[in-house]
Amino acid sequence: NIKEWSGYIDEDLGEPTCAYLTSKFLQLGDWRFGEIGGHLSITHRDGKTATIYVHDGTVHPGPRTDLNAWTLVDDEVLAGTKEGCHEDYLQIGDWGIARTCETCSFSRLSISSQAHGQTSQVFRDDGTYQPGPSTDFNAFDLTGEQGVTRASIVYGDKAVQIRDWRIRQVDSNHLSVTNENGNVSRIYRSDGNVYGNSGGFGGYIIDDLGKPTCAYLTSSF
Protein backbone atom coordinates (compact mmCIF):
# COMPACT_ATOMS: atom_id res chain seq x y z
CA ASN A 1 0.00 0.00 0.00
CA ILE A 2 1.90 3.06 -1.32
CA LYS A 3 -0.44 6.04 -1.55
CA GLU A 4 2.04 8.09 -3.62
CA TRP A 5 1.33 5.74 -6.57
CA SER A 6 -2.42 5.72 -6.11
CA GLY A 7 -4.65 6.00 -9.17
CA TYR A 8 -6.63 8.65 -7.29
CA ILE A 9 -3.80 11.15 -6.68
CA ASP A 10 -5.18 13.02 -9.67
CA GLU A 11 -8.90 12.86 -8.92
CA ASP A 12 -9.90 13.67 -12.50
CA LEU A 13 -9.91 10.50 -14.64
CA GLY A 14 -9.07 12.67 -17.65
CA GLU A 15 -9.94 12.40 -21.34
CA PRO A 16 -9.74 8.86 -22.79
CA THR A 17 -6.11 8.42 -23.95
CA CYS A 18 -4.39 5.13 -24.86
CA ALA A 19 -6.89 3.05 -22.90
CA TYR A 20 -8.72 0.41 -24.90
CA LEU A 21 -10.09 -3.13 -24.95
CA THR A 22 -9.82 -5.77 -27.69
CA SER A 23 -11.01 -9.39 -27.70
CA LYS A 24 -7.63 -10.50 -26.30
CA PHE A 25 -6.30 -7.73 -24.08
CA LEU A 26 -6.83 -4.47 -22.23
CA GLN A 27 -4.13 -1.85 -22.89
CA LEU A 28 -3.54 1.03 -20.49
CA GLY A 29 -0.62 3.11 -21.72
CA ASP A 30 2.49 0.92 -21.57
CA TRP A 31 0.70 -1.96 -19.81
CA ARG A 32 -1.41 -4.83 -21.09
CA PHE A 33 -3.73 -7.29 -19.35
CA GLY A 34 -3.81 -10.13 -21.86
CA GLU A 35 -5.37 -13.59 -22.12
CA ILE A 36 -2.80 -16.22 -23.19
CA GLY A 37 -3.55 -19.94 -23.06
CA GLY A 38 -6.38 -19.44 -20.61
CA HIS A 39 -4.24 -17.34 -18.24
CA LEU A 40 -4.39 -13.58 -17.60
CA SER A 41 -1.00 -11.90 -17.87
CA ILE A 42 -0.01 -8.35 -16.83
CA THR A 43 2.94 -7.19 -18.93
CA HIS A 44 4.85 -3.94 -19.50
CA ARG A 45 5.75 -3.01 -23.09
CA ASP A 46 9.46 -3.44 -22.23
CA GLY A 47 8.80 -7.19 -22.04
CA LYS A 48 8.57 -7.92 -18.33
CA THR A 49 5.52 -9.79 -17.05
CA ALA A 50 4.63 -8.69 -13.51
CA THR A 51 1.89 -11.19 -12.68
CA ILE A 52 0.15 -14.21 -14.22
CA TYR A 53 -3.30 -15.28 -13.01
CA VAL A 54 -3.88 -18.98 -13.74
CA HIS A 55 -7.29 -20.55 -14.37
CA ASP A 56 -6.84 -22.89 -11.38
CA GLY A 57 -6.98 -19.87 -9.08
CA THR A 58 -3.25 -19.57 -8.41
CA VAL A 59 -1.15 -16.47 -8.94
CA HIS A 60 2.42 -16.47 -10.33
CA PRO A 61 4.41 -13.31 -9.58
CA GLY A 62 7.14 -11.79 -11.75
CA PRO A 63 9.42 -10.47 -12.89
CA ARG A 64 9.41 -12.93 -15.79
CA THR A 65 9.40 -12.84 -19.61
CA ASP A 66 6.99 -15.66 -20.51
CA LEU A 67 3.29 -15.21 -21.36
CA ASN A 68 4.05 -11.71 -22.68
CA ALA A 69 0.78 -9.86 -23.40
CA TRP A 70 2.60 -7.67 -25.93
CA THR A 71 2.94 -10.67 -28.26
CA LEU A 72 -0.83 -10.63 -28.82
CA VAL A 73 -2.07 -9.31 -32.16
CA ASP A 74 -3.66 -5.87 -31.92
CA ASP A 75 -7.16 -6.14 -33.35
CA GLU A 76 -10.50 -4.32 -33.32
CA VAL A 77 -11.10 -1.88 -30.48
CA LEU A 78 -14.21 -2.94 -28.54
CA ALA A 79 -14.12 -0.05 -26.06
CA GLY A 80 -11.90 2.94 -25.32
CA THR A 81 -9.41 4.56 -27.69
CA LYS A 82 -5.91 4.04 -29.14
CA GLU A 83 -5.53 7.81 -29.40
CA GLY A 84 -2.34 8.90 -27.65
CA CYS A 85 -0.66 5.48 -27.61
CA HIS A 86 3.06 5.48 -28.24
CA GLU A 87 3.87 3.07 -31.06
CA ASP A 88 7.36 1.85 -31.90
CA TYR A 89 6.37 -0.12 -35.00
CA LEU A 90 3.71 -0.30 -37.68
CA GLN A 91 1.39 -3.30 -37.59
CA ILE A 92 -0.59 -4.28 -40.69
CA GLY A 93 -2.60 -7.37 -39.85
CA ASP A 94 -0.07 -10.13 -39.22
CA TRP A 95 2.85 -8.01 -40.48
CA GLY A 96 5.10 -5.54 -38.69
CA ILE A 97 7.49 -2.84 -39.97
CA ALA A 98 9.96 -1.73 -37.32
CA ARG A 99 13.40 -0.28 -36.68
CA THR A 100 15.41 -3.09 -35.05
CA CYS A 101 18.65 -3.71 -33.13
CA GLU A 102 19.62 -0.64 -31.12
CA THR A 103 23.20 -1.81 -30.54
CA CYS A 104 24.02 -2.90 -34.12
CA SER A 105 26.58 -1.02 -36.20
CA PHE A 106 23.98 -0.54 -38.96
CA SER A 107 20.53 0.96 -38.52
CA ARG A 108 17.94 -1.56 -39.70
CA LEU A 109 14.30 -1.52 -40.73
CA SER A 110 12.59 -4.92 -40.73
CA ILE A 111 9.47 -6.45 -42.28
CA SER A 112 8.29 -9.48 -40.28
CA SER A 113 5.35 -11.83 -39.84
CA GLN A 114 4.04 -12.22 -36.30
CA ALA A 115 2.21 -15.53 -36.69
CA HIS A 116 5.19 -17.33 -38.21
CA GLY A 117 8.00 -15.44 -36.48
CA GLN A 118 9.83 -14.91 -39.77
CA THR A 119 11.55 -11.76 -41.04
CA SER A 120 11.16 -11.41 -44.81
CA GLN A 121 13.42 -8.43 -45.39
CA VAL A 122 15.79 -6.16 -43.48
CA PHE A 123 16.82 -2.78 -44.91
CA ARG A 124 20.23 -1.46 -43.81
CA ASP A 125 21.45 2.12 -43.64
CA ASP A 126 24.36 1.39 -46.02
CA GLY A 127 21.82 1.09 -48.85
CA THR A 128 21.75 -2.70 -48.92
CA TYR A 129 19.12 -5.16 -47.75
CA GLN A 130 19.02 -8.68 -46.31
CA PRO A 131 16.36 -11.01 -47.75
CA GLY A 132 14.70 -13.65 -45.59
CA PRO A 133 13.52 -15.97 -44.39
CA SER A 134 15.20 -15.47 -41.02
CA THR A 135 14.17 -15.17 -37.39
CA ASP A 136 16.55 -12.38 -36.38
CA PHE A 137 15.81 -8.63 -36.44
CA ASN A 138 12.13 -9.42 -35.95
CA ALA A 139 9.65 -6.55 -35.95
CA PHE A 140 7.68 -8.23 -33.13
CA ASP A 141 10.62 -8.99 -30.84
CA LEU A 142 10.05 -6.51 -28.02
CA THR A 143 12.71 -7.83 -25.63
CA GLY A 144 15.72 -9.21 -27.56
CA GLU A 145 18.91 -7.28 -28.37
CA GLN A 146 18.14 -7.54 -32.09
CA GLY A 147 14.47 -6.66 -31.64
CA VAL A 148 12.37 -3.50 -31.87
CA THR A 149 13.97 -0.21 -30.84
CA ARG A 150 12.28 2.91 -29.53
CA ALA A 151 11.14 4.82 -32.59
CA SER A 152 8.69 7.69 -32.87
CA ILE A 153 6.39 7.31 -35.87
CA VAL A 154 5.37 10.44 -37.78
CA TYR A 155 3.17 10.73 -40.87
CA GLY A 156 3.85 13.28 -43.58
CA ASP A 157 3.07 14.08 -47.21
CA LYS A 158 2.53 10.59 -48.71
CA ALA A 159 5.17 9.39 -46.26
CA VAL A 160 5.78 7.80 -42.90
CA GLN A 161 8.95 8.25 -40.83
CA ILE A 162 10.07 5.61 -38.34
CA ARG A 163 12.87 7.30 -36.39
CA ASP A 164 15.71 7.53 -38.97
CA TRP A 165 13.85 5.77 -41.82
CA ARG A 166 11.35 7.09 -44.34
CA ILE A 167 8.96 5.19 -46.58
CA ARG A 168 7.82 7.76 -49.11
CA GLN A 169 6.15 8.15 -52.47
CA VAL A 170 8.74 10.36 -54.18
CA ASP A 171 6.74 10.83 -57.39
CA SER A 172 3.72 9.29 -59.12
CA ASN A 173 5.69 6.17 -60.11
CA HIS A 174 8.18 5.55 -57.30
CA LEU A 175 8.10 4.58 -53.61
CA SER A 176 11.38 4.36 -51.71
CA VAL A 177 12.75 3.17 -48.36
CA THR A 178 15.48 5.59 -47.26
CA ASN A 179 17.69 6.11 -44.23
CA GLU A 180 18.31 9.66 -43.01
CA ASN A 181 21.95 9.37 -44.16
CA GLY A 182 20.66 9.42 -47.76
CA ASN A 183 21.13 5.76 -48.64
CA VAL A 184 18.13 4.22 -50.41
CA SER A 185 17.67 0.52 -49.64
CA ARG A 186 14.73 -0.17 -51.96
CA ILE A 187 12.87 1.63 -54.76
CA TYR A 188 9.49 0.27 -55.87
CA ARG A 189 8.27 1.30 -59.34
CA SER A 190 4.68 1.41 -60.56
CA ASP A 191 5.42 -1.15 -63.33
CA GLY A 192 6.24 -3.76 -60.67
CA ASN A 193 10.03 -3.50 -60.86
CA VAL A 194 12.23 -3.04 -57.78
CA TYR A 195 15.62 -1.29 -57.67
CA GLY A 196 18.48 -0.71 -55.25
CA ASN A 197 20.37 2.31 -53.99
CA SER A 198 19.75 5.40 -56.13
CA GLY A 199 19.97 8.73 -54.33
CA GLY A 200 17.77 10.44 -56.89
CA PHE A 201 14.73 8.70 -55.41
CA GLY A 202 15.58 9.24 -51.74
CA GLY A 203 12.89 10.03 -49.22
CA TYR A 204 15.04 12.80 -47.74
CA ILE A 205 15.66 14.80 -50.96
CA ILE A 206 12.92 17.03 -49.63
CA ASP A 207 14.04 17.36 -46.02
CA ASP A 208 10.64 18.47 -44.72
CA LEU A 209 8.35 15.50 -44.11
CA GLY A 210 5.40 17.76 -44.89
CA LYS A 211 1.90 17.85 -43.47
CA PRO A 212 0.13 14.46 -43.33
CA THR A 213 -1.41 14.00 -46.79
CA CYS A 214 -2.81 10.67 -48.03
CA ALA A 215 -0.71 8.78 -45.47
CA TYR A 216 -2.63 6.64 -42.97
CA LEU A 217 -2.74 3.20 -41.35
CA THR A 218 -5.66 0.78 -41.00
CA SER A 219 -5.76 -2.76 -39.61
CA SER A 220 -5.26 -4.20 -43.12
CA PHE A 221 -3.05 -1.68 -45.03
Side-chain angles (χ1 to χ4, degrees):
N1 191 352
I2 304 177
K3 293 183 178 180
E4 288 80 4
W5 291 340
S6 167
Y8 285 87
I9 288 180
D10 187 350
E11 187 173 338
D12 183 11
L13 193 59
E15 292 293 324
T17 306
C18 196
Y20 66 97
L21 178 70
T22 75
S23 62
K24 288 292 184 181
F25 63 82
L26 168 69
Q27 182 167 330
L28 303 173
D30 292 330
W31 290 88
R32 278 187 181 178
F33 292 67
E35 194 238 342
I36 305 177
H39 310 314
L40 183 69
S41 179
I42 303 178
T43 311
H44 189 267
R45 72 177 301 121
D46 287 340
K48 294 295 185 181
T49 298
T51 303
I52 298 170
Y53 297 98
V54 183
H55 50 62
D56 62 5
T58 60
V59 180
H60 298 260
R64 52 198 300 161
T65 57
D66 57 337
L67 297 180
N68 186 331
W70 285 87
T71 62
L72 296 170
V73 175
D74 200 352
D75 58 7
E76 180 184 358
V77 174
L78 302 178
T81 179
K82 290 184 180 181
E83 190 74 29
C85 289
H86 176 75
E87 298 293 347
D88 293 320
Y89 61 92
L90 299 176
Q91 183 162 355
I92 307 168
D94 175 53
W95 291 88
I97 303 175
R99 188 188 188 280
T100 53
C101 196
E102 188 68 60
T103 59
C104 289
S105 56
F106 294 99
S107 175
R108 289 171 164 84
L109 186 72
S110 299
I111 298 179
S112 307
S113 165
Q114 183 173 32
H116 300 283
Q118 294 291 324
T119 298
S120 294
Q121 192 154 82
V122 180
F123 306 105
R124 302 198 332 174
D125 67 5
D126 62 355
T128 63
Y129 68 94
Q130 301 167 228
S134 68
T135 57
D136 54 356
F137 307 114
N138 193 282
F140 291 98
D141 179 1
L142 301 178
T143 59
E145 290 186 1
Q146 295 183 339
V148 176
T149 69
R150 293 295 188 190
S152 58
I153 296 175
V154 183
Y155 292 90
D157 183 11
K158 303 180 188 68
V160 62
Q161 182 167 315
I162 306 171
R163 192 161 152 182
D164 57 338
W165 288 91
R166 280 186 185 175
I167 303 173
R168 188 172 209 166
Q169 178 181 311
V170 293
D171 60 33
S172 60
N173 292 315
H174 297 89
L175 177 81
S176 67
V177 181
T178 311
N179 187 263
E180 67 179 3
N181 65 14
N183 282 323
V184 185
S185 290
R186 287 276 85 180
I187 301 166
Y188 303 91
R189 204 166 72 177
S190 59
D191 61 4
N193 285 301
V194 182
Y195 300 92
N197 197 347
S198 176
F201 295 100
Y204 285 85
I205 289 178
I206 301 176
D207 187 58
D208 184 11
L209 191 61
K211 292 183 178 180
T213 307
C214 196
Y216 62 96
L217 179 70
T218 76
S219 60
S220 300
F221 63 84

